[in-house]
Amino acid sequence: MSSFHQGFSADDYDEPSPNNSYLQASKDISDDEGVSHYETSQSLHSTGPLKRKAKSQKSGPRKKAVEENATKEPQLGEGSSKSDDDDSSDESTDDRIHGLTRQRTAFYDESAEKQITQIEAKMFYQPRRSESLVDVQWSPNHNVETFQSKAFPTSLVSPERPSPAKTQENGANISRSYTAPTSLHPTTISGNLRVVPTQSSGPKLVQNPSTQKFQDILPPRDMYQDRGEAVTAEYMAAKAGIRQVIELRRKYIKISMQGRNDNPRDLPGWNIYPPPPQPVWAPTQGPNSSNKAHGGGSNGKFITSMSESTLTPESTKTHRKPGTNIGADFELSDVEIPAPNEMEYMMINGIYQVFESEEHQADNKAIVHVPSLRTYYKDLKVLSELSTDGPCKSLSFNRLQLLGASFNWYRLRCEYAENLECKKVPHRDFYNVRKVDTHVHHSACMNQKHLLRFIKSKLKKSSDDKVIRKDGGFLTLDEVFQSINLRAYDLSIDTLDMHAHTDTFHRFDKFNLKYNPIGESRLRNIFLKTDNDIRGRYLAEVTKEVITDLESSKYQMVEWRISIYGRNVNEWDKLAAWVLDNRLVSHNVRWLIQIPRLYNLYQKTGEIQSFEEILINIFQPLFEVTKDPSSHPKLHIFLQRVIGFDSVDDESRPETRYAKKFPVPKLWTNDSVVPYSYWIYYLFGNMTSLNAWRKRRGFNTFVLRPHCGEAGDPDHLCAAFLCCHSISHGLLLRKMPLMQYCFYLEQVGIAMSPLSNNALFLALDRNPLPQYHMRGLNVSLSTDDPLQFAFTKEPLMEEYSIATQVYKFNAPDMCELARNSVLQSGFEHSLKQHWLGPNYQLFGSAGNHPQKTNVPPLRASYREEALLNEFNLQAPPVRFLHLYPADFSCEASNIAQMYPQKSSQLQPVQERTRCSPLA
């Protein structure tokens, strides 16, 4: 029996319309004099047909006729006489009214069905009951703020529903008084967000409830207040813990200069060489051009000549058509090499410290103070303990659940409106919005079919190439394949055997073997390595083919991760020479340096004696080229297109837990596995000193974006949250509510790869990607290893396609994921402005440009208000370091006063004020 039939009899409604049948039926019952919603719902669950019959006598002649038939029907069978207290006859009467036969069978249990339907009825009536209970009035002794929370939006409630005043006369409206937090101060000034000074703790963020679009959807901020002293104390302690976690992260991000506008290439005047291709469409300037640009107007013109573009005369000389002559617009001699710098550097306990002069070096006065290893582990212990703290976990879990539920409610209300907004945008759709593959390994950037065609082509056209050394001589490519008894005709996808099938699930060792074509490590060395006997020529050729496909698609960008192992100090020069000599330079490609955590293997083979040697091999060339770029000119040019560092390896390997005191790198000489947190600290510490020096010199800085949370210890997420700009995978956040909630509050980027996870650690249907997206985390889609997981020519589109089908994403969802990928990426500020809009750094609707991103303004406004709602949960609210630039207000007038060089790059936000930095 359905929940509707369990709660109502056939006499309780008279052919309601299909759109409001539930609401109208509920209204008919709740209109009795002096009967509250609570009593109504309870009576429906506890009374029999006789009481419902008495209520239905008001329903007109037709209902009376149905009622008479219902009372006469039991007389047709034996034992039809019944008393008012006879429950069994009540049930039989109810069943015969609905034409059901209640006989227990192997597939039907009456008692279980009744229990289920009663629960469903309670779930349906609870929101309607709560609607009449909420009319919250702050105490007049404090800062007064009045608002009304609604379980059902007014647009969905029947127009005949009694008004709040009428309900109050009937005694159904219950008022509750609460004490407002003293840090919040309301304002009646128009605008969504104002900064209002208070006497207690300085300026605070306040939202004007009258202008909130989604006030009836967002979860309440006062859900734990006035619930008793024990609950309130626990709630305040949990909020303090969350605030402490956020402040610790912001301290480390500020020190390492990984925040917004910390990178000099995000400032005006940064020169990108070779220049990006010229735009083919330029919006015309007019009195209403800004509104049309955001709302879907069509003001603009096609650029048909070089003179109409924004390129400089020097850049047009070497401009080439995208997808053709890869690297033809790059000349090594065109790049200016800066002069040397007088600063000094020196390694102290595994971290390079930079000094302004030799005197400062003697006094140990570095230009930046890097937290010590002891301080780092103390802060990491705080995060680890808070992530397992009961009140913090409960509060975080509840808020995440409410965020997911509110998004579902928002989607039910606004999905049609979102689709209408998308249709109003000319030209733009999911296929031609910019998408960045934020996590893809370069040696697996092609699919299997592409690699197979390339190998066959080389066997047919270049079989006499000398490709590998053996016994003091060289073997040709043809001789290598003869040694494994294979011809070009014998090769196939199955022969290569590089796809990660079911045999790699939870077997990272087998997955690493999939990089060997035909199971031969020699072929991997020949075709997929940059440092081999042919200087990586084959890998460079196949890379150019992949770049050609990327530039032809125009809207897909990649951030390829390429390895520096740390086995010798010359690896950087070889890698830079490989990239520049083969002219692997494209406006669609940027690079990340991945550092495999393989110290124990190198130590066992005798290549490395201590952990400090790996750190010297990784970072010493970077400090040398920062001091004197002429010492490594190719490396200096290559680093201009490097975004940051990654740390890769199997996270599921067991490692040493936190110790009271880890040895310094110089003393770590055994062959034990170096813990993940230890690796992250020394990458973070050396990168911090390097960034401080490079920023002073006007060079681009780096960020830390490691693999994290794919498997293994969940505490890896604590180390990454503390020190890293963003992460890849993040699957284990589903087991850590506090960390997941803090990732949401700080909008830390998460590059997720469902197809990769499906083959290695987590089935596709259990992947938390849709859950993260609903809750508002900053997630994007990436391919990880197309060689092992992809089947099509466009692996990134394949990833989006499968995620859309499996997780039921719609067009706004996909466009939002694509926009997140650009925000997470390390492409230059000027390119992001062209791809996302001039004000992309602002959070929410002010930073969203629908004509460029195809993200509906409704969606951007909802995300903004949901996040501000969560931040206002903190008392006092924390500063939005991650949402807006930390060093200036988002009002155009303040930008012009404090940062004149930025005012020309940021369009003013008309009639919409955003938050200023808070003390």
Side-chain angles (χ1 to χ4, degrees):
M1 185 183 297
S2 68
S3 60
F4 182 82
H5 287 162
Q6 180 69 16
F8 301 93
S9 69
D11 304 335
D12 290 329
Y13 63 99
D14 187 9
E15 297 181 356
S17 63
N19 292 333
N20 60 353
S21 58
Y22 287 168
L23 299 177
Q24 185 64 33
S26 176
K27 172 185 175 299
D28 292 338
I29 294 176
S30 61
D31 280 345
D32 294 303
E33 302 83 17
V35 179
S36 68
H37 291 281
Y38 173 77
E39 295 170 347
T40 303
S41 60
Q42 292 297 319
S43 64
L44 288 175
H45 299 154
S46 60
T47 59
L50 293 181
K51 286 189 177 183
R52 288 196 295 272
K53 171 184 172 183
K55 287 184 180 182
S56 62
Q57 290 178 357
K58 302 179 182 180
S59 303
R62 180 181 174 186
K63 294 187 177 181
K64 291 182 179 180
V66 176
E67 180 184 338
E68 292 175 1
N69 294 335
T71 55
K72 292 178 181 180
E73 179 119 8
Q75 299 178 2
L76 298 177
E78 296 181 1
S80 58
S81 61
K82 65 181 182 67
S83 62
D84 291 345
D85 298 329
D86 194 347
D87 295 338
S88 61
S89 59
D90 287 347
E91 293 174 358
S92 63
T93 301
D94 194 30
D95 294 339
R96 290 180 182 273
I97 288 176
H98 299 292
L100 300 176
T101 302
R102 285 193 170 274
Q103 295 181 357
R104 182 173 180 176
T105 65
F107 304 99
Y108 177 78
D109 186 355
E110 178 182 356
S111 60
E113 180 72 13
K114 178 181 292 187
Q115 184 179 5
I116 293 174
T117 53
Q118 287 178 351
I119 293 174
E120 291 175 351
K122 289 180 181 179
M123 292 175 64
F124 173 75
Y125 280 105
Q126 190 66 24
R128 186 166 179 83
R129 171 195 167 195
S130 64
E131 183 181 10
S132 62
L133 298 181
V134 184
D135 184 11
V136 182
Q137 181 76 28
W138 296 111
S139 171
N141 298 327
H142 300 81
N143 299 329
V144 180
E145 181 181 9
T146 304
F147 66 95
Q148 186 173 3
S149 174
K150 302 177 182 178
F152 284 99
T154 55
S155 58
L156 298 183
V157 180
S158 173
E160 291 131 15
R161 176 177 173 272
S163 63
K166 180 180 178 181
T167 309
Q168 189 171 5
E169 292 176 1
N170 294 336
N173 193 13
I174 301 175
S175 296
R176 297 180 181 179
S177 294
Y178 298 94
T179 301
T182 56
S183 60
L184 294 179
H185 186 78
T187 178
T188 57
I189 301 176
S190 61
N192 263 15
L193 196 61
R194 303 296 293 178
V195 179
V196 181
T198 60
Q199 297 179 356
S200 58
S201 55
K204 296 294 174 278
L205 292 174
V206 178
Q207 289 179 333
N208 187 354
S210 63
T211 60
Q212 281 189 317
K213 298 179 181 179
F214 307 103
Q215 184 184 3
D216 52 347
I217 294 179
L218 298 177
R221 299 195 299 267
D222 60 332
M223 56 184 296
Y224 292 105
Q225 296 195 18
D226 201 26
R227 298 290 181 89
E229 294 183 2
V231 175
T232 303
E234 189 175 272
Y235 170 59
M236 299 303 295
K239 291 203 303 181
I242 293 174
R243 185 182 183 88
Q244 185 178 6
V245 170
I246 293 175
E247 289 176 348
L248 281 174
R249 169 181 166 80
R250 293 182 176 181
K251 180 184 75 172
Y252 279 78
I253 295 298
K254 182 179 180 179
I255 292 173
S256 59
M257 300 181 185
Q258 298 183 73
R260 184 164 296 179
N261 292 328
D262 284 337
N263 198 329
R265 69 174 160 197
D266 291 337
L267 298 177
W270 181 266
N271 182 36
I272 303 175
Y273 178 80
Q278 63 174 350
V280 298
W281 175 266
T284 57
Q285 300 296 327
N288 299 322
S289 60
S290 60
N291 294 334
K292 290 187 178 182
H294 284 271
S298 57
N299 282 359
K301 63 177 181 177
F302 284 102
I303 296 178
T304 57
S305 65
M306 287 288 187
S307 59
E308 298 179 9
S309 69
T310 58
L311 298 177
T312 61
E314 292 78 7
S315 62
T316 57
K317 296 178 182 179
T318 58
H319 184 71
R320 63 177 177 85
K321 182 180 179 181
T324 60
N325 300 324
I326 303 301
D329 52 350
F330 173 78
E331 291 293 340
L332 192 63
S333 58
D334 291 343
V335 182
E336 181 182 354
I337 305 298
N341 186 262
E342 296 180 355
M343 289 189 181
E344 302 293 336
Y345 64 94
M346 178 179 64
M347 174 172 279
I348 302 176
N349 293 331
I351 293 180
Y352 280 98
Q353 301 286 355
V354 182
F355 308 94
E356 291 185 350
S357 62
E358 294 182 357
E359 292 77 9
H360 287 180
Q361 182 177 355
D363 297 337
N364 197 20
K365 294 181 179 179
I367 62 174
V368 61
H369 174 69
V370 180
S372 65
L373 183 63
R374 173 182 165 87
T375 302
Y376 165 76
Y377 271 106
K378 287 176 64 177
D379 293 338
L380 191 58
K381 184 180 180 182
V382 171
L383 262 66
S384 181
E385 290 177 350
L386 287 174
S387 66
T388 57
D389 178 67
C392 290
K393 289 169 62 178
S394 297
L395 176 61
S396 302
F397 178 77
N398 289 338
R399 300 307 300 183
L400 290 170
Q401 292 291 97
L402 287 169
L403 285 168
S406 65
F407 182 78
N408 279 331
W409 188 220
Y410 160 80
R411 178 176 284 174
L412 289 173
R413 286 187 58 185
C414 304
E415 185 173 13
Y416 181 72
E418 280 188 344
N419 292 333
L420 288 180
E421 287 184 342
C422 288
K423 292 177 181 178
K424 292 179 181 178
V425 178
H427 172 68
R428 194 69 64 188
D429 55 33
F430 167 71
Y431 288 95
N432 56 19
V433 297
R434 262 71 180 193
K435 298 168 281 289
V436 180
D437 196 344
T438 51
H439 171 208
V440 53
H441 300 280
H442 171 255
S443 58
C445 65
M446 72 297 292
N447 59 51
Q448 287 187 84
K449 190 65 176 177
H450 191 164
L451 182 61
L452 178 64
R453 288 197 309 265
F454 182 81
I455 294 175
K456 284 187 174 183
S457 173
K458 286 302 175 183
L459 272 174
K460 294 177 181 179
K461 301 177 181 179
S462 306
S463 59
D464 295 332
D465 287 351
K466 296 179 180 180
V467 294
I468 194 170
R469 292 178 182 269
K470 183 179 181 182
D471 299 331
F474 281 94
L475 291 179
T476 64
L477 186 61
D478 186 55
E479 291 173 345
V480 170
F481 275 88
Q482 285 180 6
S483 66
I484 57 179
N485 197 24
L486 284 176
R487 302 170 300 169
Y489 181 78
D490 299 328
L491 297 179
S492 67
I493 294 295
D494 296 331
T495 309
L496 284 182
D497 191 25
M498 302 186 73
H499 200 278
H501 295 289
T502 55
D503 58 337
T504 60
F505 196 72
H506 284 285
R507 289 295 303 273
F508 204 83
D509 54 337
K510 284 190 175 182
F511 171 72
N512 283 332
L513 294 177
K514 292 293 183 179
Y515 278 91
N516 299 327
I518 323 175
E520 291 286 335
S521 60
R522 288 183 298 173
L523 297 181
R524 178 181 183 179
N525 184 46
I526 294 170
F527 289 100
L528 299 178
K529 290 290 186 179
T530 62
D531 183 16
N532 52 22
D533 294 322
I534 56 175
R535 298 183 178 180
R537 177 161 53 90
Y538 285 174
L539 182 57
E541 291 178 10
V542 73
T543 300
K544 281 191 175 183
E545 295 179 2
V546 177
I547 292 177
T548 299
D549 294 339
L550 285 172
E551 291 189 355
S552 299
S553 67
K554 183 180 178 179
Y555 299 102
Q556 296 182 39
M557 320 294 165
V558 293
E559 294 177 330
W560 279 332
R561 307 191 178 209
I562 195 164
S563 296
I564 289 291
Y565 297 94
R567 289 177 293 189
N568 63 74
V569 77
N570 298 320
E571 290 181 13
W572 279 104
D573 289 330
K574 292 180 180 179
L575 178 61
W578 177 79
V579 172
L580 299 184
D581 292 346
N582 292 287
R583 297 192 174 189
L584 301 179
V585 179
S586 170
H587 52 271
N588 288 59
V589 178
R590 295 295 181 270
W591 303 86
L592 271 92
I593 304 302
Q594 63 181 17
I595 302 171
R597 299 188 300 274
L598 299 176
Y599 160 76
N600 59 320
L601 298 181
Y602 304 151
Q603 210 278 340
K604 288 179 181 179
T605 58
E607 297 179 85
I608 295 295
Q609 301 303 321
S610 68
F611 186 69
E612 187 180 62
E613 288 188 35
I614 283 190
L615 297 176
I616 291 175
N617 294 337
I618 292 173
F619 287 102
Q620 181 173 317
L622 301 181
F623 282 88
E624 289 177 356
V625 75
T626 302
K627 178 178 176 61
D628 183 8
S630 61
S631 62
H632 306 271
K634 292 183 179 179
L635 179 57
H636 171 76
I637 298 171
F638 171 65
L639 288 179
Q640 293 179 1
R641 291 184 172 260
V642 172
I643 295 168
F645 300 95
D646 181 13
S647 178
V648 297
D649 196 27
D650 183 10
E651 284 191 73
S652 62
R653 292 191 305 172
E655 60 184 31
T656 306
R657 297 286 295 179
Y658 297 142
K660 291 184 178 180
K661 185 176 181 181
F662 278 121
V664 295
K666 187 176 182 179
L667 301 179
W668 196 302
T669 56
N670 56 9
D671 59 356
S672 60
V673 176
V674 178
Y676 182 92
S677 57
Y678 196 82
W679 271 99
I680 292 297
Y681 169 74
Y682 281 101
L683 292 178
F684 165 84
N686 285 284
M687 188 190 71
T688 297
S689 296
L690 184 64
N691 281 349
W693 196 2
R694 291 182 66 86
K695 185 175 182 179
R696 287 198 178 193
R697 298 219 58 189
F699 302 160
N700 61 295
T701 57
F702 308 113
V703 296
L704 191 55
R705 292 169 50 181
H707 284 56
C708 184
E710 184 179 16
D713 195 339
D715 285 338
H716 294 177
L717 290 163
C718 296
F721 181 78
L722 192 63
C723 301
C724 302
H725 173 270
S726 56
I727 65 171
S728 299
H729 295 299
L731 298 179
L732 295 182
L733 280 174
R734 71 189 193 277
K735 298 182 179 180
M736 302 182 70
L738 175 65
M739 282 294 104
Q740 186 183 154
Y741 188 55
C742 291
F743 266 73
Y744 166 70
L745 292 177
E746 289 295 280
Q747 288 293 287
V748 180
I750 309 173
M752 305 195 70
S753 308
L755 294 183
S756 169
N757 303 143
N758 181 64
L760 290 175
F761 293 107
L762 193 65
L764 204 60
D765 58 332
R766 297 179 57 198
N767 196 287
L769 169 65
Q771 188 181 57
Y772 293 173
H773 173 67
M774 285 195 304
R775 292 173 176 176
L777 275 74
N778 183 12
V779 294
S780 64
L781 280 173
S782 58
T783 58
D784 198 354
D785 296 283
L787 184 60
Q788 278 75 32
F789 308 121
F791 287 92
T792 63
K793 189 177 180 179
E794 295 184 330
L796 186 59
M797 295 300 293
E798 182 179 348
E799 199 85 32
Y800 275 93
S801 174
I802 294 177
T804 301
Q805 298 298 327
V806 174
Y807 306 128
K808 310 299 182 184
F809 289 153
N810 55 17
D813 292 331
M814 292 189 291
C815 293
E816 187 178 14
L817 291 173
R819 182 177 185 270
N820 288 345
S821 70
V822 178
L823 292 175
Q824 294 175 19
S825 70
F827 281 84
E828 289 80 0
H829 173 69
S830 57
L831 292 179
K832 289 184 179 180
Q833 282 188 317
H834 176 60
W835 295 343
L836 301 181
N839 298 336
Y840 78 93
Q841 286 187 316
L842 301 181
F843 188 79
S845 57
N848 181 43
H849 197 303
Q851 199 173 12
K852 290 181 177 291
T853 66
N854 202 37
V855 176
L858 263 179
R859 174 70 62 90
S861 297
Y862 168 77
R863 293 296 192 195
E864 177 186 25
E865 293 187 13
L867 189 56
L868 295 180
N869 184 66
E870 295 303 315
F871 264 101
N872 278 332
L873 178 69
Q874 307 294 324
V878 292
R879 184 160 59 107
F880 295 95
L881 180 65
H882 63 296
L883 300 183
Y884 306 97
D887 53 351
F888 63 92
S889 167
C890 294
E891 297 185 29
S893 58
N894 293 340
I895 296 174
Q897 292 175 4
M898 293 187 291
Y899 292 86
Q901 70 275 17
K902 295 180 182 178
S903 60
S904 60
Q905 300 294 322
L906 187 65
Q907 291 185 356
V909 183
Q910 298 179 355
E911 300 180 359
R912 190 174 179 86
T913 306
R914 285 296 176 269
C915 63
S916 302
L918 301 184

